[in-house]
Amino acid sequence: MLNNNEKPLLKVENLHVHFKTEDGIIKAVNGVSFELYPGETLAIVGESGSGKTVTALSTIRLLDENGWIEEGKIQYKDNDVLSLSDNQLRKIRGKEISMIFQEPMTALNPVFTIGDQIIESLELHLDMNKQEARRKAIDLLRKVGIPEPERRIDQYPHELSGGMRQRAMIAMALSCNPSILIADEPTTALDVTIQAQILELMKDLQKEFQMSIIFITHDLGVVAEMADRAIVMYGGEVVEAADIITIFKKPRHPYTWGLMNSIPRIDKDEERLLSIPGVVPNPLNFPKGCKFSNRCFFADEKCVEENPNLEEIEENHFSRCWHIDRMLREMHKVKEGER
Amino acid sequence: MSEEFKRTLKRFFTNPSALIGVTILIFFIIIAIFAPWIAPPKIPVNKNLEKARNLLENYSEENKYLIINELKNFWDDTYFFAEDDYIELSNLMETIAKFHNKEVSSNELKAHIKELTDYYILNITYYEKFDEETNKVIKNLKKEYNKIEKKYKESVISLNLINELEKIDGEEFVKQAIKVVSRFDKNFHEAIGFNPYIMPNVTTTRTPIPPSKEHPFGIVNQKDIFYGVIWGTRTAFEIGLVVVAISTVIGLFIGSVAAYFGGWLEEVLMRITDIFMSIPFMLAAMVLTTILGLGIKNMMIALIVFGWMVTARLIRGNILQAKNEQYVMAAKALGVSDFFIIVKHILPNTIFPVLINATMRIGSMVITAAALSFLGLGAPQGYADWGSILSYSRDWIIGGTNPTQYWFTILYPGIAMILFVIGWNLLGDALRDVFDPRMRH
């Protein structure tokens, strides 16, 4: 792990987030804990509905009206985020912890120019006057690689391409020099070539601005590219956490292993990819024991009955599984069988 | 910003429907503003004041006392009874106060009223209706008292003015006298209840008279159609703008409160909206106007009471949609406060359909008002209003010798109304095309 001796910037402990819906209470996040250190990139990996976005949004208490944090502790620097007043919280949002979203078209307000939206945040947090803020905004746009920023600043979101919009969105998020950037699938809606450019840009900016990034994604390719460390989530729980090389080389949870083997690889000659059977169940009826047991190749009665704990299986490598040994023994057979 | 504003203006003025709409509306606005010059009302003149004015034009020292004499005559005609009336009514007010304190029986009060009606100070109906509707009569008597008190005060001021005039000479006298005469003119019009919006009778013939040089749009029910159409423009603007502005504000308030606060409040407000919507608009407006009493003001109230629901629904739906947009989430993530999110991010994205809807409703409100006037529920007899003129033509719709004989009774007010509605609708369309950034490509 990087910077192991440093104090964490953000510390989330035993986070539980619930949502009230017509069908009942959905427990979207169940006891997630993680730490984020200065300058590192943490990836939160998982399928849709695994609770990865909710976890990230909870760190600045940005939940929908029907959701609430049931229990847990979130500490940013010396602030207990859960006990902050709305006013104090607004000072953290955007200035200390800011966010970029998946769909740059819908995340930018269509009736304002991109300049207006960047300037709004500068005026709000840095007390700049209009002219200073405008100069800074042009500067930011140039930094995120938008050509002719003096002209672009007065354009509306609909006049920009998808990649340009995402760059503008990044400029907006970085405007107040935040220490943490939460990126919620920032490249999912973009073309592959643009994706690569945006990722490259984010890496450069991370170095320049000295910030930490929480990268939410389901795309393992992007994780390999960007992250220092990853936590894998399933059913609102962390199932495996480790540094990025360990996760890819030595996955120690059947879900992570399944994910790794479901990406095509150019260096291995495989006729068929492994696929994890089934889909993520409705959050209201996950299995009683291990949440993954109904889709797992290695599950037995014990898995169905009892949920394993997240154990440290080697230094800084955590996994939530009863049968790591069996998985290691049988995974070749499973692959053969699939084939 | 100014660059964008210029572009918007350019888009607006290269949009053909905007140009036509704006042209039509400017045309109507000019007519409304210049109505007193286009169709001059026949302003009644007081003979004394007229003489005084003539004498003032050829002023000489000898004329001074003639002029003052004329003004005094005017004063006598207008205010001779003002003081007596005022004293009598003051006494009556005292009796009413005593009646409230139970010091005077209702019969004694009635006797006092009878005294005044015998002297023709009060209308006989106050006496006749006293037993049936005591409270209402007393309320109206108080109004009567206020009116007479005002008249008495004006009479004192007027007399002072005349006395002041007597003391001065020469050019100063002319200057002051002109002021006094025009003040008296106003008092005179007030006293006889002159209103330029009431179409004067121009003939004694009942059948419509076709357009002529003097009356270019013809005559129906003894009224000049041209005069009615011109002055009716003001009525149309008044009805359209006032009704739509007030009902839109009400709708905006109810709809946005429902959307922001949600929960049971939203449920209650939207069910009230549904109930209002379930009542047929015309029927509801007709019934309410009848209950409130005929007249333009009451008709406007009825149109407002049943005209806010579409706005409320529209803004509520739009706000609910915008609330879940990602840019609202993004603004929250940037630390923008709730108030600014509503004002800066949600309203600009939701207000356009409401404004466009309001613009188009201005035209249709005028049609609705005309329909009510056509049914005899809106404007009072003779009021310059397009619907009223059309309702006159109802009697002549089948014509005399042939069905198109009295075409002019329908055509001119009809054309005015159609143009007015088209103008607003085109403007509404153009506003949508031009100002809503999401409609641009």
Side-chain angles (χ1 to χ4, degrees):
Chain A
M1 191 180 289
L2 289 171
N3 311 312
N4 207 1
N5 42 6
E6 264 185 80
K7 231 179 122 192
L9 200 54
L10 180 75
K11 196 169 174 188
V12 174
E13 267 175 73
N14 194 26
L15 180 71
H16 290 257
V17 183
H18 293 186
F19 284 90
K20 193 178 176 179
T21 67
E22 281 175 9
D23 305 323
I25 288 176
I26 289 179
K27 297 176 179 172
V29 176
N30 289 306
V32 168
S33 305
F34 65 88
E35 286 161 0
L36 182 70
Y37 291 89
E40 76 166 340
T41 302
L42 174 72
I44 303 182
V45 187
E47 287 169 273
S48 318
S50 60
K52 56 190 192 306
T53 302
V54 174
T55 303
L57 290 176
S58 299
T59 59
I60 43 174
R61 285 179 25 205
L62 204 65
L63 295 170
D64 283 339
E65 274 163 17
N66 59 343
W68 69 94
I69 294 170
E70 178 74 19
E71 68 170 284
K73 194 173 170 224
I74 298 170
Q75 187 159 357
Y76 168 73
K77 286 183 180 167
D78 292 324
N79 302 306
D80 177 7
V81 174
L82 297 186
S83 63
L84 291 179
S85 71
D86 282 359
N87 262 331
Q88 292 169 313
L89 192 63
R90 273 204 295 276
K91 278 178 196 140
I92 289 190
R93 287 177 182 171
K95 185 162 193 282
E96 305 279 338
I97 304 180
S98 73
M99 193 154 178
I100 53 180
F101 294 86
Q102 180 175 352
E103 252 309 335
M105 184 65 221
T106 53
L108 292 167
N109 192 332
V111 301
F112 293 113
T113 62
I114 55 169
D116 283 338
Q117 302 186 49
I118 298 171
I119 289 167
E120 178 183 38
S121 134
L122 288 170
E123 283 177 330
L124 200 69
H125 291 300
L126 301 185
D127 253 349
M128 286 186 171
N129 64 33
K130 263 250 141 69
Q131 265 157 356
E132 283 176 307
R134 191 180 159 89
R135 223 172 301 134
K136 172 102 202 248
I138 292 177
D139 221 43
L140 279 163
L141 290 178
R142 187 175 297 122
K143 254 183 200 146
V144 297
I146 290 181
E148 297 181 78
E150 292 86 356
R151 191 169 68 85
R152 297 284 181 178
I153 191 168
D154 291 322
Q155 288 191 327
Y156 287 85
H158 67 94
E159 294 173 281
L160 303 176
S161 68
M164 284 297 154
R165 271 182 225 143
Q166 193 56 288
R167 284 170 195 266
M169 189 79 219
I170 291 173
M172 211 165 121
L174 297 187
S175 56
C176 300
N177 218 339
S179 24
I180 301 178
L181 178 70
I182 299 171
D184 186 2
E185 310 217 14
T187 55
T188 311
L190 303 174
D191 289 349
V192 182
T193 46
I194 308 293
Q195 244 181 50
Q197 290 173 10
I198 295 284
L199 293 178
E200 205 52 47
L201 174 71
M202 286 181 66
K203 269 193 193 164
D204 292 346
L205 291 172
Q206 180 177 25
K207 260 182 229 143
E208 192 179 335
F209 286 81
Q210 295 289 319
M211 60 186 175
S212 310
I213 296 180
I214 298 179
F215 208 99
I216 304 166
T217 185
H218 61 262
D219 186 338
L220 288 169
V222 172
V223 174
E225 179 96 5
M226 290 292 292
D228 302 311
R229 219 149 48 83
I231 58 180
V232 181
M233 285 188 68
Y234 187 84
E237 291 173 341
V238 176
V239 292
E240 188 166 3
D243 66 87
I244 202 73
I245 296 170
T246 315
I247 284 271
F248 274 84
K249 294 261 153 125
K250 297 194 293 182
R252 287 297 178 266
H253 189 281
Y255 179 60
T256 320
W257 176 75
L259 283 181
M260 296 301 158
N261 285 290
S262 60
I263 3 174
R265 288 180 57 172
I266 211 155
D267 57 340
K268 285 200 180 151
D269 187 21
E270 284 166 318
E271 281 164 22
R272 255 188 85 179
L273 289 171
L274 182 86
S275 66
I276 303 173
V279 289
V280 186
N282 182 317
L284 284 169
N285 40 28
F286 270 118
K288 195 170 104 208
C290 173
K291 300 241 157 104
F292 189 56
S293 59
N294 61 341
R295 298 173 70 191
C296 183
F297 292 109
F298 314 103
D300 61 9
E301 277 98 63
K302 192 180 182 189
C303 299
V304 178
E305 287 303 314
E306 214 179 322
N307 198 11
N309 288 326
L310 189 65
E311 306 274 3
E312 189 160 13
I313 49 170
E314 56 188 326
E315 204 194 347
N316 288 326
H317 187 175
F318 299 82
S319 170
R320 190 190 287 274
C321 185
W322 293 120
H323 299 305
I324 298 176
D325 297 338
R326 177 168 355 148
M327 172 185 145
L328 291 174
R329 267 199 322 272
E330 292 179 8
M331 58 191 195
H332 295 289
K333 260 194 256 169
V334 170
K335 273 183 123 175
E336 293 295 321
E338 267 281 313
R339 206 169 287 169
Chain B
M1 195 60 204
S2 67
E3 194 58 31
E4 176 61 22
F5 186 64
K6 267 185 225 156
R7 259 191 285 169
T8 309
L9 277 187
K10 198 182 155 206
R11 257 198 307 270
F12 187 77
F13 285 110
T14 48
N15 183 326
S17 77
L19 283 181
I20 299 172
V22 167
T23 314
I24 293 174
L25 289 178
I26 288 177
F27 173 70
F28 275 117
I29 289 169
I30 290 172
I31 288 181
I33 292 172
F34 293 101
W37 289 273
I38 300 170
K42 234 194 200 150
I43 298 169
V45 263
N46 180 286
K47 270 184 198 139
N48 298 121
L49 292 178
E50 181 73 9
K51 270 185 205 161
R53 200 177 276 126
N54 287 339
L55 287 171
L56 268 174
E57 269 168 29
N58 321 302
Y59 177 73
S60 63
E61 286 294 326
E62 310 89 74
N63 281 347
K64 181 181 167 185
Y65 286 94
L66 286 176
I67 292 167
I68 290 191
N69 220 20
E70 292 297 341
L71 292 179
K72 275 186 174 160
N73 282 342
F74 168 77
W75 192 90
D76 280 346
D77 287 351
T78 319
Y79 296 118
F80 191 76
F81 294 109
E83 191 173 359
D84 289 349
D85 289 359
Y86 175 62
I87 292 166
E88 288 294 339
L89 271 169
S90 299
N91 290 338
L92 182 66
M93 284 301 118
E94 270 169 37
T95 315
I96 288 176
K98 278 182 190 161
F99 171 71
H100 281 311
N101 294 333
K102 317 259 182 211
E103 288 165 31
V104 168
S105 75
S106 88
N107 274 339
E108 281 172 280
L109 175 59
K110 202 177 164 189
H112 196 159
I113 295 174
K114 178 82 164 67
E115 221 173 277
L116 296 188
T117 55
D118 284 348
Y119 285 123
Y120 300 107
I121 295 173
L122 288 177
N123 191 311
I124 188 76
T125 49
Y126 286 114
Y127 176 72
E128 289 169 353
K129 291 264 167 101
F130 184 78
D131 288 327
E132 283 170 49
E133 309 169 9
T134 315
N135 286 335
K136 204 176 164 192
V137 166
I138 288 178
K139 212 173 120 196
N140 285 338
L141 280 174
K142 279 181 185 159
K143 272 189 201 160
E144 197 87 27
Y145 168 74
N146 288 338
K147 235 160 76 185
I148 289 190
E149 188 187 24
K150 204 177 145 201
K151 191 173 175 185
Y152 170 65
K153 280 184 181 160
E154 184 62 36
S155 82
V156 174
I157 295 170
S158 304
L159 196 60
N160 270 342
L161 285 172
I162 297 172
N163 290 338
E164 291 289 314
L165 275 181
E166 273 185 284
K167 290 179 199 153
I168 46 179
D169 287 300
E171 284 198 6
E172 186 61 24
F173 172 81
V174 178
K175 226 168 109 188
Q176 293 302 324
I178 288 174
K179 272 187 200 163
V180 172
V181 168
S182 61
R183 180 177 181 133
F184 284 11
D185 244 351
K186 243 185 235 160
N187 292 346
F188 172 66
H189 291 147
E190 219 168 88
I192 62 164
F194 169 72
N195 181 353
Y197 287 93
I198 301 291
M199 295 183 277
N201 287 2
V202 290
T203 161
T204 49
T205 333
R206 235 183 79 72
T207 42
I209 300 169
S212 61
K213 212 171 183 188
E214 225 172 301
H215 305 290
F217 290 179
I219 294 167
V220 62
N221 278 28
Q222 308 170 344
K223 321 271 193 227
D224 181 12
I225 295 177
F226 181 73
Y227 186 88
V229 169
I230 298 297
W231 284 82
T233 312
R234 287 187 170 194
T235 316
F237 273 112
E238 190 190 334
I239 292 174
L241 294 176
V242 172
V243 170
V244 169
I246 296 179
S247 64
T248 302
V249 169
I250 294 173
L252 275 180
F253 180 74
I254 291 181
S256 42
V257 163
Y260 296 150
F261 294 104
W264 64 268
L265 187 63
E266 175 179 23
E267 209 48 44
V268 170
L269 287 176
M270 291 332 282
R271 290 305 76 77
I272 293 175
T273 311
D274 286 346
I275 291 169
F276 270 84
M277 274 201 139
S278 67
I279 310 170
F281 178 59
M282 270 310 269
L283 198 66
M286 273 162 65
V287 170
L288 192 56
T289 318
T290 321
I291 292 171
L292 293 173
L294 307 186
I296 293 254
K297 221 179 240 164
N298 290 335
M299 178 180 70
M300 277 161 59
I301 291 173
L303 292 179
I304 290 169
V305 168
F306 291 99
W308 53 270
M309 293 85 74
V310 175
T311 313
R313 277 195 169 180
L314 202 60
I315 193 76
R316 173 183 164 268
N318 287 339
I319 287 177
L320 285 186
Q321 200 184 1
K323 239 169 81 174
N324 291 327
E325 292 284 351
Q326 223 175 23
Y327 56 76
V328 172
M329 175 81 100
K332 274 189 197 159
L334 277 178
V336 183
S337 68
D338 283 350
F339 177 75
F340 273 106
I341 288 183
I342 291 166
V343 172
K344 254 197 91 174
H345 290 270
I346 294 184
L347 272 187
N349 275 292
T350 51
I351 201 81
F352 275 106
V354 173
L355 290 184
I356 290 152
N357 172 272
T359 314
M360 293 191 173
R361 239 155 22 103
I362 293 175
S364 63
M365 267 309 150
V366 171
I367 292 226
T368 314
L372 288 175
S373 292
F374 186 81
L375 296 169
L377 288 171
Q381 249 319 302
Y383 201 88
D385 168 65
W386 297 337
S388 302
I389 307 172
L390 279 179
S391 86
Y392 294 145
S393 64
R394 185 178 49 192
D395 300 340
W396 313 102
I397 231 158
I398 51 168
T401 47
N402 70 65
T404 54
Q405 189 181 354
Y406 301 126
W407 54 273
F408 50 91
T409 61
I410 302 169
L411 187 73
Y412 295 113
I415 283 183
M417 208 178 294
I418 288 168
L419 280 181
F420 192 80
V421 177
I422 288 181
W424 283 108
N425 276 7
L426 288 178
L427 182 67
D429 267 341
L431 284 181
R432 181 180 51 207
D433 293 350
V434 169
F435 284 104
D436 187 352
R438 282 167 302 180
M439 297 290 275
R440 297 176 199 152
H441 4 264

